[in-house]
Amino acid sequence: MRNISYYIILIFIAIVLVFSIVKKNNAYESFINGCKSGMKSGITILPYLLVMYVAVAAFRSCGILEDLLSFSKVPSQILIQGVFRPVSSHASLSMMVSIINTYGVDSSEGIISTILQGGSDTTVYVMGLYFGYIGIKKTRHAYFVGLLCDLVCFVLCMLLFLIF
């Protein structure tokens, strides 16, 4: 039993097939319908994902944040991670990896970076994607509250860094 996960997947598929036979359901047709539904969802979500990726890539590549934040006591990489975190999980995660590779895991920079990564969320990305997919036009205070939580996490991380 080198890879137990293969057996678990096989057992799960067998359970689904047995359950389908007991319920007299066509498992193959259900699977195909699920794939069609998933493809429709993927095509609907794709424009929102594309816009977010292009915006983050353009903002990150212009380098304006590094120029504006070069005077701070806090490393510019942590500040950039804090700015990107509400927009893109991948961009903030790559900044965290860069911080850990530069300063080390046990450094104050590395610890603050991981707290920032775990304590905040990709608010703009999640709300833009899901609200856009569902078709919600009036978001009311959802963006404000989500970004306020991200800002509180960011400010507390900066205070922790400056104190310790």
Side-chain angles (χ1 to χ4, degrees):
M1 272 207 188
R2 279 188 350 211
N3 294 324
I4 195 166
S5 61
Y6 295 129
Y7 296 108
I8 291 172
I9 292 170
L10 184 63
I11 290 169
F12 178 74
I13 291 171
I15 289 171
V16 168
L17 289 175
V18 168
F19 187 73
S20 177
I21 291 170
V22 169
K23 291 287 189 176
K24 296 180 179 158
N25 198 4
N26 188 347
Y28 182 73
E29 281 298 318
S30 297
F31 181 76
I32 296 298
N33 289 335
C35 290
K36 287 179 184 177
S37 174
M39 290 297 290
K40 287 178 186 174
S41 297
I43 289 171
T44 305
I45 290 174
L46 185 64
Y48 300 101
L49 287 172
L50 188 61
V51 165
M52 294 303 293
Y53 285 134
V54 168
V56 167
F59 192 67
R60 188 174 184 192
S61 65
C62 74
I64 193 167
L65 277 177
E66 292 174 352
D67 294 338
L68 291 174
L69 303 174
S70 62
F71 62 88
S72 176
K73 291 182 181 180
V74 179
S76 63
Q77 291 174 324
I78 292 177
L79 295 172
I80 292 170
Q81 180 189 4
V83 169
F84 279 126
R85 182 63 181 149
V87 179
S88 171
S89 179
H90 179 70
S92 65
L93 184 63
S94 66
M95 290 306 297
M96 184 185 79
V97 169
S98 173
I99 291 167
I100 288 174
N101 287 338
T102 303
Y103 298 102
V105 177
D106 293 331
S107 66
S108 58
E109 291 88 352
I111 292 170
I112 295 301
S113 177
T114 55
I115 291 171
L116 181 61
Q117 184 73 17
S120 58
D121 196 11
T122 54
T123 305
V124 174
Y125 172 77
V126 169
M127 288 187 189
L129 180 70
Y130 294 127
F131 285 173
Y133 176 70
I134 295 171
I136 297 174
K137 301 287 186 219
K138 297 180 182 177
T139 59
R140 295 194 39 105
H141 305 294
Y143 279 105
F144 175 74
V145 171
L147 290 174
L148 181 66
C149 291
D150 290 337
L151 180 65
V152 167
C153 178
F154 180 70
V155 169
L156 289 176
C157 284
M158 295 303 104
L159 288 175
L160 282 173
F161 181 80
L162 293 174
I163 290 171
F164 298 109

